Amino acid sequence: MPDTAPLYEGKAKIIYPTDNPHILRSHFKDDATAFNAQKKGQIVGKGAINCAISAHLFRLLESQGIATHFIDQPSSNEMTVKSVSIIPLEVVVRNIAAGSLCQQTSLALGTALKFPLVDFYYKNDSLGDPFLSEARILLLELATLAQIEELRALALKINEILTTFFQDCGITLVDFKLEFGLDQSRQILLADEISPDTCRLWDQSATDPNDRVLDKDRFRRDLGNVEQAYAKVMERVLSHSV
Ligand code: TMP
Ligand code: ASP
């Protein structure tokens, strides 16, 4: 870990400056939180696993025309990234009903959705990351209408690429959360991470509804074998070339 003072520390990552003002170093932590940090713990080895999975998926997405903040992975739990101004929206794509969609609607867990659903949430811990309508995003000036449309189109394209990739790994991509940022020229870049912390991933070779869970729901719901599940995702992802 660099000995310079961090620019920012989040729940799962620490962001450090570099000699180049346009490049940052993102350090992935083993710390895990859930339910807006009301539940806290550690998943041993998570930082390195999420960094490796994210680096692989960013390379995959770049190879298919998605602009990301990813530059390089200089060590097991560190990534160099382009400096961006994060758009304070969590963009969630859902293919199968789970989590808050089941809590807030009559859809049963596991229902295949008729179309991929793109939901926006306010990235604001003190408000508990509430769901936002398009009108509320415009009202709060978090993004313009053109940017909302671009975010939706990017999220759906990323969903197609990742769904196909995970399918090849024997994993169903149930849902996931993305974050985007604006670079110096106001271009939208995919940022943050894509990992078992930010996706729901179900093992297609397991039939039991708890056994199939390979993501942070194991930590959220105290299902056990969290490290093993994360390691399984990494092994399968890294063995499928970009
Ligand atoms: P949800 O069903 O709780 O709304 O979560 C949808 C997806 O977003 C799921 O894959 C987990 C991910 N997610 C995050 O990455 N960070 C969060 O803070 C939350 C609430 C969900
Ligand atoms: N990232 C969230 C938190 O702790 C919650 C989650 O992933 O469930 O606040």
Side-chain angles (χ1 to χ4, degrees):
M1 197 192 303
D3 48 16
T4 32
L7 278 180
Y8 169 81
E9 177 157 4
K11 285 175 285 200
K13 292 186 290 300
I14 309 174
I15 307 297
Y16 293 94
T18 68
D19 295 341
N20 183 330
H22 304 304
I23 297 177
L24 303 174
R25 194 178 283 252
S26 178
H27 173 92
F28 286 63
K29 301 193 281 185
D30 285 358
D31 298 349
T33 64
F35 315 117
N36 203 16
Q38 289 177 68
K39 176 171 179 159
K40 289 184 180 162
Q42 282 239 326
I43 301 173
V44 177
K46 175 173 86 80
I49 290 176
N50 281 1
C51 187
I53 294 171
S54 291
H56 198 82
L57 296 178
F58 282 138
R59 286 194 181 102
L60 166 75
L61 292 167
E62 286 276 357
S63 77
Q64 301 209 27
I66 302 288
T68 80
H69 73 157
F70 177 75
I71 299 172
D72 201 3
Q73 190 193 351
S75 75
S76 65
N77 57 3
E78 285 178 317
M79 208 181 256
T80 46
V81 297
K82 294 174 192 157
S83 173
V84 292
S85 154
I86 291 285
I87 299 170
L89 292 173
E90 300 201 343
V91 183
V92 170
V93 184
R94 302 174 192 274
N95 297 305
I96 293 175
S100 67
L101 183 64
C102 295
Q103 286 157 14
Q104 294 164 5
T105 70
S106 54
L107 288 167
L109 176 70
T111 308
L113 303 185
K114 293 201 172 99
F115 54 87
L117 185 64
V118 181
D119 283 337
F120 294 95
Y121 296 83
Y122 194 3
K123 185 174 156 62
N124 184 319
D125 284 342
S126 59
L127 295 175
D129 297 346
F131 179 85
L132 287 179
S133 63
E134 188 176 293
R136 287 185 186 198
I137 297 172
L138 294 173
L139 189 72
L140 295 171
E141 296 184 351
L142 303 177
T144 65
L145 191 55
Q147 286 173 332
I148 296 171
E149 278 162 10
E150 189 176 343
L151 291 173
R152 195 176 278 120
L154 282 168
L156 288 171
K157 185 165 180 209
I158 291 166
N159 184 44
E160 277 178 23
I161 298 166
L162 293 183
T163 295
T164 304
F165 180 81
F166 278 114
Q167 182 69 28
D168 290 344
C169 298
I171 292 172
T172 300
L173 179 60
V174 174
D175 59 27
F176 58 99
K177 183 262 303 180
L178 301 171
E179 293 183 28
F180 295 88
L182 296 173
D183 71 6
Q184 270 190 307
S185 58
R186 313 276 305 161
Q187 190 199 353
I188 295 180
L189 303 185
L190 176 65
D192 195 50
E193 66 179 280
I194 306 174
S195 71
D197 270 12
T198 62
C199 301
R200 284 199 173 89
L201 303 167
W202 290 353
D203 187 350
Q204 293 172 355
S205 66
T207 42
D208 179 89
N210 286 343
D211 288 350
R212 70 186 172 189
V213 175
L214 295 179
D215 57 71
K216 198 175 166 188
D217 271 350
R218 298 208 78 80
F219 170 77
R220 293 188 189 98
R221 294 166 46 205
D222 294 319
L223 296 177
N225 296 325
V226 188
E227 286 85 1
Q228 290 86 337
Y230 276 58
K232 193 181 274 187
V233 175
M234 179 173 75
E235 194 186 296
R236 294 207 205 160
V237 164
L238 297 190
S239 66
H240 285 76
S241 58
V242 167

